Amino acid sequence: MLSSALWIWLSSLAFALLHSGMAARACKLRLQRMGVGPQRYRLVYSIVAVLTTAAWFGFVHMLPDAPWYRVTGWPAWLLIAVQLLGLGIAVASLRAFDARMFLGLAPMPETGEPFYERGIYRFLRHPMYAGAMLALIASPVQSVTSANLIAAVCLYLVLGSKLEEARMQAAHPEYADYRRRVGAFVPKKGIPKGMAKCRRAG
């Protein structure tokens, strides 16, 4: 199982470097000089993200594995409820921005990637990531391989959120105040005051 865990973490590093490299400003500028506009870039990025994620998960699925734990009875149903909550949070995040623009199926505004606050983004800066991590961690059945994969995915999402926030703050000075008021993965105390916009983020 040690070799499987090593392969999971090595493949996750390669996955993270590929995705971070494609999302980097230098890569975007290079593609722009080649005539690839923001919408086409977003579409290509989305396709590559789906294909590489499927390839990564498929590779991990082929590694040797062993059971770790299985929760049964009412605690299992409680964990499933937490998973459903996580999925609900992730779905709510999709309703708060233009999914077509996010996937590259609709043009990006001339002003660049938008920053708004609306819906669940009034309470969490990264509800999509938070919901996904909650659904993964709360699984009542875990193997050694799945536990390592979940740990790698969660680390990737946390680190990725930091890079994304740096990009958003560079493009939108008001993001600093939003970051101060709103929690990243866990809501802060209090209800955010009158916000009427939404941002695209994880």
Side-chain angles (χ1 to χ4, degrees):
M1 292 303 102
L2 179 60
S3 60
S4 293
L6 180 60
W7 276 114
I8 290 171
W9 285 97
L10 287 175
S11 61
S12 69
L13 177 61
F15 178 86
L17 290 175
L18 173 63
H19 283 240
S20 298
M22 287 192 64
R25 177 176 172 80
C27 179
K28 292 180 181 179
L29 292 176
R30 189 175 299 112
L31 289 173
Q32 285 179 5
R33 288 194 291 269
M34 296 170 60
V36 179
Q39 181 181 350
R40 183 175 298 178
Y41 162 80
R42 176 70 69 177
L43 179 59
V44 170
Y45 182 88
S46 298
I47 293 173
V48 171
V50 170
L51 293 178
T52 53
T53 300
W56 181 31
F57 282 20
F59 168 75
V60 170
H61 181 71
M62 293 187 297
L63 295 172
D65 199 2
W68 186 23
Y69 67 78
R70 176 185 293 270
V71 179
T72 59
W74 69 264
W77 289 106
L78 180 60
L79 288 174
I80 292 173
V82 173
Q83 285 187 295
L84 292 175
L85 174 63
L87 291 175
I89 292 172
V91 170
S93 72
L94 295 174
R95 300 183 62 182
F97 59 83
D98 187 343
R100 294 180 70 252
M101 184 183 67
F102 174 70
L103 294 172
L105 300 175
M108 186 80 68
E110 293 184 3
T111 54
E113 187 176 10
F115 162 65
Y116 312 104
E117 294 175 47
R118 181 174 62 200
I120 197 168
Y121 285 92
R122 293 179 298 162
F123 309 100
L124 292 172
R125 300 200 304 272
H126 302 285
M128 189 185 299
Y129 296 168
M133 289 191 289
L134 197 61
L136 290 171
I137 293 172
S139 174
V141 180
Q142 293 286 9
S143 67
V144 175
T145 296
S146 68
N148 277 279
L149 179 61
I150 289 171
V153 169
C154 289
L155 179 60
Y156 169 76
L157 294 179
V158 171
L159 295 179
S161 71
K162 302 298 182 183
L163 296 175
E164 181 180 345
E165 292 197 338
R167 186 177 71 251
M168 292 296 291
Q169 191 160 328
H172 305 278
E174 66 271 27
Y175 189 84
D177 179 63
Y178 173 72
R179 188 176 183 181
R180 177 185 60 80
R181 292 183 285 102
V182 180
F185 304 105
V186 179
K188 291 185 177 181
K189 293 182 179 179
I191 302 295
K193 296 181 179 180
M195 306 170 187
K197 301 181 178 180
C198 157
R199 82 185 188 93
R200 201 291 308 161

